[in-house]
Amino acid sequence: MSDSQTRPAAHSLVPADTTEDVRERGAGLSRQVAVLPVGSFEQHGPFLPLATDTLVACAIAREIAAVHPVHLLPPVTIACSHEHAAWPGTVSISSVTLHAVIRDIAASLRRSGVDALVLVNGHGGNYVLGNVVQESSARGERMALFPAPEDWETARERAGVETSLLTDMHAGEIETSILLHTHPELIRPGYETSDFVADDRRHLLTLGMSGYTDSGVIGRPSLGSVEKGKRLLASLADSFGAYVSLLTSAEDSVRD
């Protein structure tokens, strides 16, 4: 059977665990870790779906769950995409709302015995997630944000991604590669000829994406490939091991 035949379809983003599956997985662990994919619903040019960031976050989370004994949660599918408001289809919630949703989920998990939470972020505009993690950690709660820029850089190098993280900003080589690997049926024609570079984006928060791109693309999607997508996910799953160790450690902090 081919990879495409065994690959999960887009509609299977919600985990199929039963409560007994969760109980058994956590039975031998000193501390359970939950993984929450956080995406967005925003334009990704004419060839990638609005749900791209959610699909990417879920692909990373599934890869993590295949390697590490974590409690995989369903994704947050609408987040902070205000910079994409100029394009039809984009939907956002406020940073205050997203902050509250994450805090409520974390509190609910702790009540059920899962006291560590990792936010797997698929959208760079979800800036507030960093604040959520900082504030939660200051209160003594166990929370982390993944992947860090360093994790992406390691994955980029291991996968042979040619575009820098600065240039590969939106609907570029990385996102196209991951979707070519996980959901090729959702990619429309056109990514092969949609490269656009805008490295100086200093006024992005004021102007939004429409101040820098007409197509909605900033990056080089033409360089995307199935193999790069596979290697990106494998590298990120490897990098996640350090997060598990940190969150399940008896120590409250880690030092280099």
Side-chain angles (χ1 to χ4, degrees):
M1 185 174 289
S2 69
D3 285 348
S4 62
Q5 290 174 306
T6 58
R7 193 178 300 128
H11 63 264
S12 63
L13 298 180
V14 178
D17 282 349
T18 68
T19 187
E20 289 304 314
D21 293 329
V22 177
R23 190 194 310 275
E24 291 174 11
R25 188 184 304 115
L29 302 176
S30 59
R31 182 172 281 112
Q32 291 192 65
V33 178
V35 171
L36 176 67
V38 183
S40 71
F41 198 73
E42 64 187 37
Q43 72 82 21
H44 275 76
F47 53 87
L48 294 183
L50 294 163
T52 290
D53 289 342
T54 298
L55 294 169
V56 168
C58 286
I60 296 170
R62 285 197 306 269
E63 194 82 8
I64 288 169
V67 178
H68 304 280
V70 298
H71 177 27
L72 182 59
L73 300 172
V76 176
T77 58
I78 296 177
C80 302
S81 301
H82 311 284
E83 70 273 27
H84 298 279
W87 281 270
T90 297
V91 182
S92 290
I93 57 177
S94 72
S95 60
V96 174
T97 299
L98 182 57
H99 192 297
V101 167
I102 300 301
R103 284 195 61 181
D104 283 356
I105 290 171
S108 178
L109 286 166
R110 290 193 298 274
R111 287 193 295 272
S112 67
V114 181
D115 59 357
L117 175 63
V118 180
L119 311 177
V120 175
N121 183 33
H123 172 48
N126 289 335
Y127 309 114
V128 71
L129 296 182
N131 299 112
V132 177
V133 171
Q134 285 183 322
E135 293 168 16
S136 297
S137 298
R139 290 191 297 270
E141 300 163 10
R142 293 178 181 262
M143 190 181 292
L145 182 60
F146 183 82
E150 293 84 356
D151 301 313
W152 276 120
E153 183 60 29
T154 298
R156 187 187 73 81
E157 293 174 358
R158 289 186 184 178
V161 170
E162 299 177 45
T163 316
S164 70
L165 294 181
L166 172 65
T167 299
D168 193 61
M169 189 261 189
H170 192 69
E173 185 177 0
I174 288 177
E175 290 183 321
T176 301
S177 293
I178 291 176
L179 262 66
L180 281 170
H181 170 50
T182 57
H183 296 293
E185 74 281 0
L186 300 181
I187 299 181
R188 309 287 179 90
Y191 73 91
E192 307 89 342
T193 57
S194 294
D195 292 4
F196 182 78
V197 175
D199 284 351
D200 186 345
R201 305 184 294 269
R202 69 187 72 189
H203 302 300
L204 178 66
L205 296 180
T206 301
L207 299 176
M209 284 284 289
S210 60
Y212 295 94
T213 172
D214 293 330
S215 68
V217 177
I218 297 180
R220 297 190 178 98
S222 69
L223 299 176
S225 74
V226 173
E227 186 60 29
K228 289 176 184 177
K230 183 177 181 180
R231 291 178 180 176
L232 283 163
L233 294 179
S235 177
L236 292 172
D238 287 343
S239 295
F240 191 79
Y243 291 75
V244 173
S245 297
L246 176 62
L247 291 172
T248 58
S249 169
E251 301 296 327
D252 290 331
S253 62
V254 65
R255 294 178 177 87
D256 293 334

